[in-house]
Amino acid sequence: MRIGEVSRLTGVSTRLLRYYEEQGLLNPARSAGGYREYAEADTVRVRQIRSLLAAGLSTRVIAEILPCATGPLPALEACPTLLATLRGELADLDTRIDELTRSRQALARYLATAHAPTHEYAA
């Protein structure tokens, strides 16, 4: 099937499908005329990519773990680097959450101690 049909079936724009190809996440065949030809399995692959992106993974990490993915959700099989990669990503998320929590607390303190400006204008 052509890129437009994959876009329609998955709800992913043709621009994003091309980007996924550039990132090595999709590898459609090419017709004699140079058109991308996608297999049915590519629609599942696109759903896998979208699900992994929604989990906060980068396309670099997704490219690394995508061979471990099965089904559209996807389910992940324990490939050699999968667990270490996911543990590292989870640790990075925890660090970012801690940093954001500290930032939020600091902003809340500033807000709590801020005074509305008083303007006295002489008429």
Side-chain angles (χ1 to χ4, degrees), residues 35-109:
Y35 292 102
R36 290 170 176 84
E37 292 289 336
Y38 292 88
E40 194 65 38
D42 289 322
T43 60
V44 171
R45 179 58 50 109
V46 170
R47 289 184 180 98
Q48 291 171 341
I49 294 165
R50 299 301 296 165
S51 180
L52 293 167
L53 284 168
L57 298 174
S58 68
T59 55
R60 178 193 57 77
V61 171
I62 292 171
E64 188 177 324
I65 67 171
L66 206 50
C68 305
T70 59
L73 290 179
L76 297 175
E77 302 294 326
C79 296
T81 62
L82 174 72
L83 296 177
T85 298
L86 291 181
R87 284 185 183 120
E89 289 298 308
L90 189 58
D92 289 347
L93 274 175
D94 287 339
T95 298
R96 290 191 346 229
I97 289 169
D98 290 344
E99 291 168 354
L100 287 170
T101 299
R102 283 191 299 277
S103 294
R104 186 188 187 291
Q105 290 168 344
L107 286 174
R109 281 191 306 273

Side-chain angles (χ1 to χ4, degrees), residues 8-56:
R8 184 182 58 74
L9 289 172
T10 62
V12 175
S13 72
T14 57
R15 183 172 179 258
L16 267 179
L17 292 171
R18 288 185 198 98
Y19 174 74
Y20 296 161
E21 183 180 353
E22 288 171 12
Q23 297 302 304
L25 304 176
L26 288 174
N27 189 20
R30 295 287 182 155
S31 70
Y35 292 102
R36 290 170 176 84
E37 292 289 336
Y38 292 88
E40 194 65 38
D42 289 322
T43 60
V44 171
R45 179 58 50 109
V46 170
R47 289 184 180 98
Q48 291 171 341
I49 294 165
R50 299 301 296 165
S51 180
L52 293 167
L53 284 168

